[in-house]
């Protein structure tokens, strides 16, 4: 399958604005329900849960971009990845800020206690730190200057995903269906890449036996392409 | 066994006049109810008048004198009846009110078993007939670190238990919530907990004057989503100890099994006294969000009932017996 690129102008002026609109929708609905007083007796709880869940959903969406681009033969999908990733951080930043402001009253001592004592906060914080690093290194200029290091750093997004799912799993009290669904999707996305990576390795090793001189070059190209 | 009796709390009042703030809240509810349609049907607020069969109960509840209150703002009827943890009616906080009509409370009876002189099946009518109904305004603190102030209508648990004449072997009392394997409630179709829901108290805790059995709130018959027709209220313990929709009371010699302890013993102990110094592994218990407030407030030792209950735990390590 091959979906042709609609061209740079259409991507910039049509596809990206639509994507912005879609990804901001959860914020719009949360804010409007909040002001209409329709978030129930404990709106802070609803907003904490919703921003956390949307952050995780959008994180998984960002991880699905590359596999989708491969499957649909549409390399231009990759141009949406940064935008999606930044929306993920936007929701997680709200999630974290609400917690810090309304649950902890901005007391960093409480935050430290929570990070140490409560393992679901420990892993959530780990995930947050990763997403923060990825967000601040997302501008094109910084990416260029960082070179290979940037690629390495941004591979941590998988760890952020795993920690995010663990955070969800460990925060639930009785029903873990949802975290397992998200965990399953994450596993599929990671598995897709793992399989591709292994296939390339096997191929590069077998071709390198035939032509030993090019082993390094093959290996290297397989590594960098697998991201 | 000699029961340890704690002197009645100094806060107990003979005040029969409705607290003015409470009155205003009621007015507010009536108004907001008329402004209407919070997406919740009125029948959920006034569940099928399930206890109508118990003659004159709603009048008795409506006329019940206040005997205890706290100097804090009472939560609205709407908050209390739309934000519930009652897993039998669904896991979400808004599920119980939506599924309220699935709980059938007509011809309710309670099985009384174990170490007592008068075991048997008691209809709700039997249970309620000789008892006076009073109103008590208590703080209610959930283990999830939120809290409310709720005006309950009911009677001291001791008044009920004494009628069954517990024997000297009765060291604990165990309770069970309704569960019919053949016809489970919506939330009981999944094994979120090991049904039926079970709770228990040590005998002295059960006989403490604060321990209350509620059949109503806000001067009305108990709404289904709050545990109709009859539920426990133990104000110095986390909310899950206050078991709802009780169908069984059993006096035992051994500490009974309790549902959340069975599900996760490290997080939920048998005692589960509100204690800001003993952290839950998931929620810091130092602070709580009072429903209706933005920021969290400090949690009080024994939920503010230290004076009335602390003596029962003298010499116990509350970190070990959490
Ligand atoms: C310092 C970082 C973080 C803190 C302090 C934090 C805090 C919280 C808190 C307090 C809850 C509610 C738990 C409860 O009510 O029992 C929660 C739930 C959640 N958080 Fe986080 N979180 C953090 C980072 C993250 C990250 C990075 C993600 C996703 C990638 C995330 C996703 C979620 C999800 C999915 C939920 C569950 C929502 C639900 O139950 O519907 N959180 N978090």
């Amino acid at each position: 399958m091959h979906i042709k690129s609609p061209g740079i102008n259409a991507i910039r002026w049509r596809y990206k604005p639509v994507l912005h609109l879609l990804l901001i929708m959860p914020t719009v609905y949360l804010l409007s329900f909040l002001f209409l007083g329709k978030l129930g007796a404990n709106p802070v709880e609803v907003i904490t849960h919703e921003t956390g869940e949307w952050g995780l959903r959008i994180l998984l969406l960002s991880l699905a971009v590359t596999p989708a681009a491969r499957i649909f033969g549409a390399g231009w999908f990759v141009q949406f990845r940064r935008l999606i990733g930044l929306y993920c951080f936007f929701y997680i930043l709200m999630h974290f800020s609400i917690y810090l402001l309304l649950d902890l009253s901005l007391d960093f001592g409480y935050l430290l206690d929570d990070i140490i004592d409560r393992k679901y906060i420990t892993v959530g914080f780990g995930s947050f730190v990763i997403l923060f690093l990825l967000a601040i290194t997302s501008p094109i200029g910084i990416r260029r200057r960082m070179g290979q290091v940037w690629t390495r750093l941004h591979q941590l997004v998988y760890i952020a995903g795993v920690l995010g799912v663990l955070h969800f799993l460990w925060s639930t009290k009785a029903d873990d269906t949802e975290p397992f669904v998200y965990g399953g999707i994450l596993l599929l996305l990671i598995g897709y890449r793992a399989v591709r990576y292994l296939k390339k390795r096997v191929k590069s090793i077998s071709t390198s036996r035939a032509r030993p001189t090019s082993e390094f070059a093959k290996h290297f190209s397989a590594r960098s392409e697998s991201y | 066994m000699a029961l340890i009796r704690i002197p009645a709390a100094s806060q107990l009042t003979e005040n029969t006049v409705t607290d003015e703030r409470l009155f205003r809240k009621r007015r507010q509810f009536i108004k907001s109810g008329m402004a209407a349609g919070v997406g919740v049907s009125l029948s959920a607020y006034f569940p099928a008048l399930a206890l109508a069969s118990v003659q004159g109960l709603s009048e008795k509840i409506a006329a019940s004198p206040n005997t205890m209150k706290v100097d804090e703002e009472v939560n609205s009827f709407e908050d209390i009846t739309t934000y519930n943890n009652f897993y039998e009616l669904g896991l979400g906080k808004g599920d119980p009110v939506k599924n309220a009509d699935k709980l059938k409370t007509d011809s309710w009876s309670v099985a009384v078993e174990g170490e007592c002189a008068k075991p048997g099946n008691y209809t709700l009518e039997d249970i309620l007939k000789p008892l006076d109904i009073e109103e008590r305004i208590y703080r209610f603190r959930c283990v999830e670190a939120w809290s409310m102030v709720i005006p309950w209508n009911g009677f001291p648990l001791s008044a009920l238990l004494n009628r069954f004449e517990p024997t000297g072997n009765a060291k604990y009392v165990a309770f069970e919530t309704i569960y019919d394997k053949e016809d489970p409630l919506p939330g009981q179709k999944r094994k979120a907990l090991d049904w039926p829901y079970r709770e228990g108290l040590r005998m002295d805790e059960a006989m403490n004057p604060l321990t209350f059995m509620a059949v109503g709130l806000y001067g009305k018959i108990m709404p289904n989503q709050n545990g109709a027709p009859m539920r426990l209220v133990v104000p110095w313990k986390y909310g899950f100890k206050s078991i709802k929709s009780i169908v069984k009371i059993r006096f035992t010699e051994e500490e009974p099994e309790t549902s959340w302890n069975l599900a996760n013993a490290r997080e939920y102990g048998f005692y589960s006294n509100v204690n800001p110094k003993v952290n839950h592994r998931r929620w810091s218990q130092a602070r709580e969000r009072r429903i209706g407030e933005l920021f969290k407030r400090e949690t009080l030792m024994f939920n503010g009932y230290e004076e009335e209950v602390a003596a029962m735990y003298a010499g116990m390590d509350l970190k070990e017996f959490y």
Side-chain angles (χ1 to χ4, degrees):
Chain A
M1 202 194 288
H2 177 68
I3 303 178
K4 239 180 67 194
S5 166
I8 194 145
N9 271 326
I11 289 175
R12 178 177 295 168
W13 300 112
R14 284 215 298 276
Y15 287 64
K16 282 193 178 174
V18 168
L19 202 55
H20 275 288
L21 223 59
L22 287 175
L23 292 171
I24 204 70
M25 286 291 270
T27 313
V28 173
Y29 109 78
L30 272 179
L31 285 179
S32 42
F33 272 48
L34 178 68
F35 288 114
L36 292 171
K38 292 206 167 194
L39 292 184
N42 194 350
V44 179
E45 182 185 48
V46 176
I47 294 176
T48 304
H49 285 203
E50 288 293 298
T51 50
E53 254 192 77
W54 278 106
L56 186 58
R57 283 180 193 136
I58 296 170
L59 177 65
L60 295 178
L61 180 67
S62 77
L63 291 179
V65 169
T66 305
R70 290 242 166 72
I71 290 163
F72 296 114
W76 54 280
F77 280 7
V78 174
Q79 295 176 59
F80 302 125
R81 206 167 46 187
R82 189 169 72 121
L83 188 160
I84 297 173
L86 285 172
Y87 268 100
C88 160
F89 184 66
F90 169 66
Y91 282 94
I92 295 302
L93 190 63
M94 281 201 279
H95 180 68
F96 177 65
S97 309
I98 287 161
Y99 171 79
L100 194 62
L101 179 67
L102 299 183
D103 280 12
L104 305 185
S105 308
L106 288 179
D107 185 320
F108 288 86
Y110 283 135
L111 178 64
L112 199 66
D113 286 349
D114 265 0
I115 292 172
I116 294 167
D117 290 345
R118 274 162 268 283
K119 63 178 179 174
Y120 90 96
I121 300 283
T122 316
V123 293
F125 189 72
S127 180
F128 174 77
V129 169
I130 293 174
L131 294 173
F132 174 76
L133 290 175
L134 304 194
I136 59 168
T137 57
S138 69
I140 306 286
I142 294 180
R143 175 178 181 164
R144 280 213 192 92
R145 252 174 288 147
M146 288 176 71
Q148 272 299 120
V149 180
W150 190 92
T151 310
R152 273 307 169 92
L153 179 70
H154 281 247
Q155 277 168 353
L156 289 178
V157 68
Y158 298 103
I159 309 286
V162 172
L163 295 178
V165 169
L166 278 180
H167 168 74
F168 193 176
L169 182 67
W170 289 339
S171 82
T172 58
K173 238 173 42 160
D175 184 22
D176 4 25
T177 326
E178 274 194 82
F180 275 108
V181 170
Y182 290 119
I185 294 169
L186 181 65
L187 222 61
L188 272 174
L189 292 168
I190 292 178
Y192 176 84
R193 281 166 171 89
V195 167
R196 262 187 86 84
Y197 175 73
L198 289 176
K199 270 191 190 156
K200 292 242 164 164
R201 290 277 317 232
V202 170
K203 218 164 102 193
S204 78
I205 290 168
S206 58
T207 44
S208 68
R209 280 222 187 86
R211 290 186 296 156
T213 42
S214 65
E215 183 190 346
F216 181 73
K218 285 273 180 192
H219 180 63
F220 187 76
S221 73
R223 291 289 289 284
S224 54
E225 213 184 301
S226 73
Y227 176 60
Chain B
M1 178 187 130
L3 296 173
I4 304 160
R5 286 183 185 277
I6 307 299
S10 53
Q11 286 145 283
L12 285 170
T13 66
E14 290 303 318
N15 189 354
T16 57
V17 183
T18 307
D19 177 56
E20 201 209 300
R21 235 182 352 245
L22 172 58
F23 179 71
R24 265 192 278 126
K25 280 263 166 183
R26 279 179 186 156
R27 294 301 302 252
Q28 209 178 318
F29 162 69
I30 292 163
K31 269 193 273 166
S32 72
M34 291 195 295
V38 198
V40 181
S41 72
L42 273 178
S43 69
Y45 282 136
F46 305 104
L49 288 183
L51 296 184
S53 61
V54 179
Q55 274 256 312
L57 182 64
S58 36
E59 291 78 8
K60 241 168 123 178
I61 288 176
S64 61
N66 177 282
T67 54
M68 198 164 173
K69 48 190 172 184
V70 292
D71 193 21
E72 289 161 40
E73 182 145 1
V74 178
N75 279 93
S76 70
F77 186 79
E78 191 187 331
D79 283 351
I80 297 168
T81 54
T82 58
Y83 186 77
N84 305 98
N85 274 327
F86 190 7
Y87 282 9
E88 283 79 348
L89 296 179
L91 294 177
K93 298 281 197 301
D95 294 341
V97 66
K98 281 184 220 139
N99 293 326
D101 58 339
K102 301 288 192 316
L103 175 66
K104 302 291 178 220
T105 56
D106 40 313
S107 65
W108 195 271
S109 67
V110 178
V112 177
E113 303 174 352
E115 301 288 345
C116 66
K118 294 186 171 165
N121 248 318
Y122 292 83
T123 67
L124 197 60
E125 195 139 28
D126 289 341
I127 288 178
L128 294 175
K129 200 174 280 166
L131 295 168
D132 291 326
I133 305 292
E134 54 191 277
E135 180 193 71
R136 290 194 187 178
I137 302 176
Y138 277 157
R139 293 181 204 91
F140 182 91
R141 170 65 156 78
C142 178
V143 72
E144 295 168 348
W146 56 264
S147 63
M148 295 197 195
V149 176
I150 303 177
W152 302 106
N153 306 90
F155 47 88
L157 179 65
S158 60
L160 177 63
L161 296 189
N162 282 334
R163 279 169 53 205
F164 308 132
E165 296 174 17
T167 68
N169 288 335
K171 301 283 194 299
Y172 296 90
V173 54
F175 303 89
E176 267 181 41
T177 296
I178 186 171
Y179 174 54
D180 180 354
K181 224 188 224 127
E182 303 309 315
D183 184 21
L185 291 165
Q188 291 171 326
K189 288 174 187 157
R190 276 198 289 166
K191 220 172 139 54
L193 288 169
D194 187 13
W195 311 114
Y197 192 80
R198 278 156 282 174
E199 257 309 334
L201 295 171
R202 218 169 56 189
M203 209 58 194
D204 59 333
E205 297 177 320
M207 293 298 182
N208 186 289
L210 282 186
T211 308
F212 202 61
M213 194 68 107
V215 290
L217 61 82
Y218 253 99
K220 298 182 183 69
I221 280 179
M222 186 69 72
N224 285 358
Q225 64 271 29
N226 292 82
M230 188 170 83
R231 63 164 295 167
L232 198 61
V233 179
V234 194
W236 72 93
K237 291 175 181 284
Y238 295 120
F240 66 87
K241 295 291 295 181
S242 294
I243 184 169
K244 301 186 180 82
S245 305
I246 295 168
V247 293
K248 190 183 282 185
I249 298 177
R250 193 174 66 256
F251 297 95
T252 67
E253 194 159 9
E254 306 294 327
E255 184 181 291
E257 290 182 331
T258 59
S259 290
W260 279 104
N261 182 254
L262 289 173
N264 192 339
R266 282 196 301 171
E267 295 192 10
Y268 309 95
F270 175 78
Y271 288 94
S272 290
N273 293 319
V274 175
N275 188 337
K277 291 190 287 279
V278 175
N279 266 338
H280 186 272
R281 295 189 37 220
R282 202 174 318 208
W283 302 282
S284 161
Q285 298 297 13
R287 286 148 39 94
E288 68 199 45
R289 174 167 293 111
R290 176 64 49 81
I291 295 303
E293 292 179 356
L294 202 50
F295 292 96
K296 288 196 170 181
R297 55 163 73 202
E298 303 291 315
T299 288
L300 305 171
M301 186 65 198
F302 293 116
N303 204 23
Y305 300 101
E306 190 166 12
E307 198 187 315
E308 292 90 340
V309 303
M312 292 191 292
Y313 309 104
M316 271 172 71
D317 180 356
L318 296 177
K319 282 205 160 67
E320 193 186 337
F321 298 98
Y322 54 92

